[in-house]
Amino acid sequence: MSRTRGRRPAWVIGFILYALLMATGTHWPSLRIETPELPRADLLVHLCAFGTWTALFLAAGWFGPWNSWRNIAIGHLAAILYAGIDEASQGIPGLNRTVAWDDFAFNAIGVWGGTLLVTLVRSWRLERGERRLSDDSD
């Protein structure tokens, strides 16, 4: 598989490092993000964390060229699945973490945002004539 047909090593490394950091943070025992100025500040963290995770995941090109519809669609579904698994796994006894639907909802909104960002970058680059990385036939 050539470099233009699959994963991009620098993005893969960046994603793996970020994913490890995020998994550590989301499973750190008894971690609470609270501030009197912003009620439920943790929801903003959920949104930004999963948006970044998704953008890096898609940029790595796990399912084909980073800008192919195949990579974006399958990657988006995989990110939603991971967001649910990550949230549910915080219920492991001893972690003293909260599993909540609103947390998952903000995870999912972050995933949508990360996917939107990659899709916009894709469109911008295609407008500039950089179709060479795409395997789309549509």
Side-chain angles (χ1 to χ4, degrees):
M1 184 176 276
S2 73
R3 186 183 184 296
T4 60
R5 300 287 299 162
R7 291 187 276 294
R8 301 169 6 167
W11 288 98
V12 168
I13 291 167
F15 167 74
I16 290 171
L17 292 173
Y18 182 81
L20 290 171
L21 180 66
M22 195 172 100
T24 300
T26 59
H27 294 87
W28 197 266
S30 304
L31 179 66
R32 301 281 182 256
I33 299 172
E34 299 170 353
T35 175
E37 295 83 19
L38 183 62
R40 293 301 315 266
D42 67 305
L43 295 178
L44 182 60
V45 173
H46 282 265
L47 187 143
C48 293
F50 278 91
T52 302
W53 190 98
T54 301
L56 290 171
F57 185 68
L58 295 176
W62 294 101
F63 303 104
W66 74 271
N67 64 349
S68 68
W69 285 122
R70 180 179 190 274
N71 182 63
I72 292 171
I74 296 172
H76 176 81
L77 294 174
I80 291 286
L81 178 64
Y82 177 73
I85 291 169
D86 184 85
E87 187 61 34
S89 65
Q90 291 177 45
I92 294 171
L95 290 181
N96 299 318
R97 299 293 302 258
T98 303
V99 176
W101 282 107
D102 56 349
D103 288 350
F104 173 71
F106 276 79
N107 293 352
I109 293 168
V111 168
W112 281 97
T115 303
L116 178 61
L117 175 66
V118 170
T119 302
L120 291 173
V121 169
R122 174 193 192 275
S123 297
W124 177 74
R125 291 195 59 183
L126 290 177
E127 284 177 10
R128 294 179 59 224
E130 298 178 27
R131 192 164 194 80
R132 72 189 187 309
L133 294 176
S134 179
D135 66 348
D136 291 343
S137 57
D138 52 307

